[in-house]
PDB file of all heavy atoms in Angstrom:
ATOM      1  N   TYR A 624      69.770  35.380 126.389  1.00 95.00           N
ATOM      2  CA  TYR A 624      70.549  36.156 127.373  1.00 95.00           C
ATOM      3  C   TYR A 624      70.326  37.650 127.177  1.00 95.00           C
ATOM      4  O   TYR A 624      70.547  38.187 126.110  1.00 95.00           O
ATOM      5  CB  TYR A 624      72.036  35.793 127.226  1.00 95.00           C
ATOM      6  CG  TYR A 624      72.955  36.557 128.091  1.00 95.00           C
ATOM      7  CD1 TYR A 624      72.971  36.334 129.491  1.00 95.00           C
ATOM      8  CD2 TYR A 624      73.862  37.468 127.586  1.00 95.00           C
ATOM      9  CE1 TYR A 624      73.840  37.033 130.297  1.00 95.00           C
ATOM     10  CE2 TYR A 624      74.717  38.191 128.388  1.00 95.00           C
ATOM     11  CZ  TYR A 624      74.742  37.946 129.773  1.00 95.00           C
ATOM     12  OH  TYR A 624      75.570  38.648 130.553  1.00 95.00           O
ATOM     13  N   LEU A 625      69.897  38.331 128.249  1.00 96.00           N
ATOM     14  CA  LEU A 625      69.647  39.759 128.290  1.00 96.00           C
ATOM     15  C   LEU A 625      68.477  40.228 127.456  1.00 96.00           C
ATOM     16  O   LEU A 625      68.171  41.410 127.372  1.00 96.00           O
ATOM     17  CB  LEU A 625      70.891  40.605 127.869  1.00 96.00           C
ATOM     18  CG  LEU A 625      72.134  40.463 128.784  1.00 96.00           C
ATOM     19  CD1 LEU A 625      73.155  41.493 128.333  1.00 96.00           C
ATOM     20  CD2 LEU A 625      71.784  40.688 130.237  1.00 96.00           C
ATOM     21  N   LEU A 626      67.825  39.301 126.756  1.00 96.00           N
ATOM     22  CA  LEU A 626      66.641  39.679 125.928  1.00 96.00           C
ATOM     23  C   LEU A 626      65.406  38.987 126.433  1.00 96.00           C
ATOM     24  O   LEU A 626      64.508  38.687 125.663  1.00 96.00           O
ATOM     25  CB  LEU A 626      66.925  39.338 124.463  1.00 96.00           C
ATOM     26  CG  LEU A 626      68.066  40.057 123.784  1.00 96.00           C
ATOM     27  CD1 LEU A 626      68.259  39.553 122.357  1.00 96.00           C
ATOM     28  CD2 LEU A 626      67.819  41.547 123.757  1.00 96.00           C
ATOM     29  N   GLU A 627      65.336  38.663 127.727  1.00 95.00           N
ATOM     30  CA  GLU A 627      64.176  37.939 128.268  1.00 95.00           C
ATOM     31  C   GLU A 627      63.642  38.729 129.491  1.00 95.00           C
ATOM     32  O   GLU A 627      64.419  39.323 130.220  1.00 95.00           O
ATOM     33  CB  GLU A 627      64.607  36.529 128.666  1.00 95.00           C
ATOM     34  CG  GLU A 627      65.824  36.502 129.553  1.00 95.00           C
ATOM     35  CD  GLU A 627      66.552  35.144 129.591  1.00 95.00           C
ATOM     36  OE1 GLU A 627      65.957  34.189 129.106  1.00 95.00           O
ATOM     37  OE2 GLU A 627      67.652  35.064 130.109  1.00 95.00           O
ATOM     38  N   VAL A 628      62.318  38.717 129.634  1.00 96.00           N
ATOM     39  CA  VAL A 628      61.704  39.439 130.745  1.00 96.00           C
ATOM     40  C   VAL A 628      60.735  38.519 131.514  1.00 96.00           C
ATOM     41  O   VAL A 628      60.333  37.485 131.003  1.00 96.00           O
ATOM     42  CB  VAL A 628      60.904  40.672 130.251  1.00 96.00           C
ATOM     43  CG1 VAL A 628      61.818  41.668 129.576  1.00 96.00           C
ATOM     44  CG2 VAL A 628      59.759  40.303 129.355  1.00 96.00           C
ATOM     45  N   ASP A 629      60.387  38.946 132.741  1.00 93.00           N
ATOM     46  CA  ASP A 629      59.458  38.114 133.529  1.00 93.00           C
ATOM     47  C   ASP A 629      58.057  38.183 132.979  1.00 93.00           C
ATOM     48  O   ASP A 629      57.354  37.176 132.923  1.00 93.00           O
ATOM     49  CB  ASP A 629      59.533  38.505 135.016  1.00 93.00           C
ATOM     50  CG  ASP A 629      59.346  40.013 135.233  1.00 93.00           C
ATOM     51  OD1 ASP A 629      59.192  40.733 134.267  1.00 93.00           O
ATOM     52  OD2 ASP A 629      59.354  40.423 136.403  1.00 93.00           O
ATOM     53  N   ARG A 630      57.588  39.385 132.627  1.00 94.00           N
ATOM     54  CA  ARG A 630      56.196  39.537 132.111  1.00 94.00           C
ATOM     55  C   ARG A 630      56.210  40.301 130.795  1.00 94.00           C
ATOM     56  O   ARG A 630      56.283  41.535 130.800  1.00 94.00           O
ATOM     57  CB  ARG A 630      55.334  40.232 133.160  1.00 94.00           C
ATOM     58  CG  ARG A 630      54.928  39.347 134.343  1.00 94.00           C
ATOM     59  CD  ARG A 630      54.126  40.113 135.322  1.00 94.00           C
ATOM     60  NE  ARG A 630      54.900  41.120 136.006  1.00 94.00           N
ATOM     61  CZ  ARG A 630      55.468  40.934 137.218  1.00 94.00           C
ATOM     62  NH1 ARG A 630      55.260  39.839 137.875  1.00 94.00           N
ATOM     63  NH2 ARG A 630      56.232  41.874 137.747  1.00 94.00           N
ATOM     64  N   PRO A 631      56.155  39.658 129.675  1.00 96.00           N
ATOM     65  CA  PRO A 631      56.205  40.350 128.392  1.00 96.00           C
ATOM     66  C   PRO A 631      54.930  41.119 128.111  1.00 96.00           C
ATOM     67  O   PRO A 631      53.878  40.865 128.717  1.00 96.00           O
ATOM     68  CB  PRO A 631      56.379  39.216 127.365  1.00 96.00           C
ATOM     69  CG  PRO A 631      56.192  37.948 128.069  1.00 96.00           C
ATOM     70  CD  PRO A 631      56.056  38.171 129.504  1.00 96.00           C
ATOM     71  N   LEU A 632      55.054  42.052 127.198  1.00 97.00           N
ATOM     72  CA  LEU A 632      53.877  42.773 126.687  1.00 97.00           C
ATOM     73  C   LEU A 632      53.157  41.802 125.720  1.00 97.00           C
ATOM     74  O   LEU A 632      53.787  41.142 124.921  1.00 97.00           O
ATOM     75  CB  LEU A 632      54.300  44.029 125.996  1.00 97.00           C
ATOM     76  CG  LEU A 632      53.205  44.860 125.328  1.00 97.00           C
ATOM     77  CD1 LEU A 632      52.333  45.474 126.390  1.00 97.00           C
ATOM     78  CD2 LEU A 632      53.817  45.955 124.476  1.00 97.00           C
ATOM     79  N   VAL A 633      51.832  41.799 125.807  1.00 97.00           N
ATOM     80  CA  VAL A 633      51.084  40.926 124.927  1.00 97.00           C
ATOM     81  C   VAL A 633      50.137  41.783 124.048  1.00 97.00           C
ATOM     82  O   VAL A 633      49.419  42.631 124.607  1.00 97.00           O
ATOM     83  CB  VAL A 633      50.230  39.893 125.668  1.00 97.00           C
ATOM     84  CG1 VAL A 633      49.427  38.997 124.755  1.00 97.00           C
ATOM     85  CG2 VAL A 633      51.144  39.023 126.554  1.00 97.00           C
ATOM     86  N   ILE A 634      50.216  41.628 122.741  1.00 97.00           N
ATOM     87  CA  ILE A 634      49.353  42.436 121.856  1.00 97.00           C
ATOM     88  C   ILE A 634      48.703  41.489 120.843  1.00 97.00           C
ATOM     89  O   ILE A 634      49.220  40.425 120.533  1.00 97.00           O
ATOM     90  CB  ILE A 634      50.119  43.527 121.126  1.00 97.00           C
ATOM     91  CG1 ILE A 634      51.275  42.968 120.323  1.00 97.00           C
ATOM     92  CG2 ILE A 634      50.653  44.576 122.144  1.00 97.00           C
ATOM     93  CD1 ILE A 634      51.920  43.994 119.410  1.00 97.00           C
TER      94      ILE A 634
END
Side-chain angles (χ1 to χ4, degrees):
Chain A
Y624 177 69
L625 296 188
L626 296 177
E627 50 199 349
V628 298
D629 53 358
R630 284 179 291 261
L632 177 68
V633 179
I634 59 170

